[in-house]
Amino acid sequence: MTTPFYVSPQQAMADRAEYARKGIARGRSVVVLQYADGILFVAENPSRALHKVSEIYDRIAFAAVGKYNEFENLRIGGVRYADLRGYTYDRDDVTARGLANVYAQTLGTIFSSAAEKPYEVELIVAEVGDGPEDDQIYRLPHDGSIVDEHGSVAVGGNADQISSYLDQRHREGLTLAEALKLAVESLARDNNGGERSLTAEQLEVAVLDRTRPQQRKFKRVLGRQLARLLDSEGTAAAADSAAEGEPPAEESSDTEE
């Protein structure tokens, strides 16, 4: 009779964590950051059918990286939880903290179970408040722990490098255009310190906008609005040049002709 192969519990959990982290790192990153009027979500995602950022409830949104089928199951479960709790009690009883606790229990149970593999996902649950000080952002790694984030957070891909870049440059009171520019700059940086060019077609952008008059604060930023926000830096530079008495670049070329 052969002796069963023994693996210590610590080693088994370390192996499961490493497996999940490798799967998450293969995905493209998602950035979430606060701006003056709410919370901005930016994901590198060329697909228009498979979303990484979605609405959960009135003031709550969800972002994820990793295996799509796994985080989509979690998203659907979160929507059902929010709808049932809001219907049974009150809409104000649906909070990002409560939803994060539900996700933490689910991920923690799966991670510690030897009967199935850990989920290769990392989640962000965010809720916009009446003011910036009331905003809530929670990051949930694969093991079900909850990290309370402030200002900005990145998950997936080279998240550590992106988070470091954001921590150095993010500040309170950013406009939507400034926050989007910062998010895109952080996503465009590669592991070697170089920069790529990201177009509107490669980005998935959404906001929780506290200034919206309706109860639902989630809105996707698409098409012309997204292109206009991405181009606002060049427009602002042209306006500054005109204010200083210098002709914009396009007008200068017309004059030479």
Side-chain angles (χ1 to χ4, degrees):
M1 184 175 181
T2 59
T3 303
F5 182 72
Y6 175 76
V7 178
S8 68
Q10 293 88 345
Q11 184 61 47
M13 298 303 282
D15 291 343
R16 292 171 67 83
E18 183 65 19
Y19 172 85
R21 280 195 294 266
K22 285 182 178 179
I24 294 167
R26 285 194 292 267
R28 295 186 176 98
S29 300
V30 176
V31 169
V32 179
L33 64 161
Q34 293 177 273
Y35 70 103
D37 294 329
I39 301 173
L40 171 68
F41 302 77
V42 183
E44 186 180 352
N45 181 18
S47 173
R48 289 295 171 264
L50 306 178
H51 295 302
K52 290 186 174 183
V53 180
S54 299
E55 179 184 26
I56 295 291
Y57 210 62
D58 294 343
R59 292 173 168 265
I60 303 172
F62 165 101
V65 293
K67 294 196 69 172
Y68 176 79
N69 65 313
E70 293 178 349
F71 70 67
E72 179 66 6
N73 285 335
L74 292 170
R75 182 193 69 83
I76 293 172
V79 171
R80 290 173 177 165
Y81 160 83
D83 284 343
L84 180 60
R85 187 169 183 82
Y87 178 79
T88 305
Y89 300 100
D90 187 86
R91 300 186 77 91
D92 291 338
D93 290 327
V94 183
T95 64
R97 182 178 301 172
L99 183 62
N101 287 332
V102 171
Y103 281 145
Q105 293 173 18
T106 302
L107 288 171
T109 300
I110 293 171
F111 181 75
S112 59
S113 172
E116 57 182 317
K117 77 172 189 64
Y119 270 17
E120 299 169 62
V121 298
E122 190 164 8
L123 313 180
I124 295 176
V125 177
E127 178 179 359
V128 67
D130 294 331
E133 66 280 359
D134 300 318
D135 293 343
Q136 300 177 42
I137 303 175
Y138 300 103
R139 178 172 62 87
L140 292 98
H142 55 275
D143 60 358
S145 56
I146 301 177
V147 183
D148 188 3
E149 301 284 359
H150 300 279
S152 63
V153 59
V155 293
N158 55 334
D160 292 340
Q161 181 179 340
I162 293 174
S163 295
S164 177
Y165 185 87
L166 290 172
D167 290 342
Q168 295 173 12
R169 291 163 177 80
H170 181 267
R171 57 179 174 80
E172 295 182 0
L174 290 173
T175 65
L176 177 56
E178 291 171 339
L180 179 59
K181 176 179 178 291
L182 177 59
V184 173
E185 285 178 349
S186 67
L187 289 172
R189 300 180 67 83
D190 58 32
N191 292 326
N192 299 323
E195 293 188 7
R196 300 172 293 133
S197 177
L198 294 176
T199 64
E201 290 72 24
Q202 297 172 281
L203 298 172
E204 179 183 357
V205 181
V207 294
L208 285 170
D209 185 354
R210 77 177 98 256
T211 65
R212 298 191 82 195
Q214 55 264 57
Q215 201 165 23
R216 296 172 62 181
K217 306 301 183 183
F218 183 85
K219 177 185 177 183
R220 294 193 181 278
V221 182
L222 304 166
R224 293 182 179 178
Q225 183 185 10
L226 177 56
R228 186 168 61 251
L229 287 169
L230 290 172
D231 192 48
S232 62
E233 180 190 5
T235 304
D240 291 342
S241 297
E244 294 174 1
E246 300 177 1
E250 292 183 359
E251 294 182 6
S252 177
S253 61
D254 290 342
T255 304
E256 291 177 358
E257 293 178 0

